Amino acid sequence: MSLPLVFYTIAMDTIPIKTRSKQEFIDISREVCALLQKKGVREGLCCVYVPHTTAAVTINENADPSVRRDIINKLLMLIPREGDYTHGEGNSDAHIKSTLVGVSICIPISDGKPALGTWQGIFFCEFDGPRQREVFVQIIKSE
Ligand code: ZN
């Protein structure tokens, strides 16, 4: 008979991010990996959450930078900056992109690393920069 798995959460961490453009994807895979290493987590789940309404987080290809450029350009085409918006702040397109892309992801942790595919990276998605941003990381460790 095997013992039941034990799960417990580790205190939330914050990754500060300084964005430099109106719209950009910033690869934060290294920062997330470093956090798992620092916490000594081998197996579990890692939740990456963006506490902003005009930014998002996603996982996609980090080998060829043209992929993230294409995503940004297509989003810009689908949701232009100027439009029939009612929000007075002038950044409705960024709010819509944030909702479409999403503000959280959950990644399995395997052998001390996020279980990303060969070509995958974790991206912070800025849609209304440049700004000082942050990403929250909550880890659920299993033993
Ligand atoms: Zn707004």
Side-chain angles (χ1 to χ4, degrees):
M1 197 174 83
S2 61
L3 290 169
L5 278 173
V6 176
F7 296 95
Y8 56 93
T9 57
I10 293 178
M12 192 177 81
D13 276 276
T14 302
I15 299 172
I17 295 170
K18 175 98 188 83
T19 65
R20 304 194 183 284
S21 310
K22 183 81 176 165
Q23 299 200 42
E24 66 178 313
F25 281 21
I26 296 172
D27 192 338
I28 58 167
S29 311
R30 204 173 294 175
E31 286 81 354
V32 174
C33 285
L35 206 54
L36 297 181
Q37 238 172 2
K38 191 176 113 189
K39 304 283 179 183
V41 181
R42 304 295 305 163
E43 306 292 329
L45 268 180
C46 177
C47 295
V48 180
Y49 174 76
V50 169
H52 302 290
T53 61
T54 55
V57 64
T58 193
I59 294 176
N60 214 298
E61 174 163 340
N62 70 352
D64 182 355
S66 68
V67 172
R68 73 193 88 150
R69 258 198 317 275
D70 284 346
I71 295 170
I72 290 169
N73 288 339
K74 183 53 81 175
L75 283 170
L76 202 55
M77 238 182 282
L78 294 169
I79 308 146
R81 292 221 180 105
E82 304 298 321
D84 192 15
Y85 305 124
T86 55
H87 177 51
E89 217 178 3
N91 61 355
S92 285
D93 63 309
H95 288 290
I96 294 165
K97 287 166 195 160
S98 169
T99 285
L100 287 181
V101 176
V103 293
S104 71
I105 53 172
C106 194
I107 315 160
I109 302 164
S110 175
D111 202 21
K113 295 187 294 271
L116 295 166
T118 308
W119 308 110
Q120 286 183 317
I122 306 163
F123 291 98
F124 177 85
C125 311
E126 176 63 83
F127 296 120
D128 195 25
R131 291 177 190 231
Q132 184 62 49
R133 301 289 204 175
E134 55 188 10
V135 168
F136 296 157
V137 180
Q138 177 76 68
I139 296 163
I140 302 167
K141 186 177 176 178
S142 69
E143 285 184 344

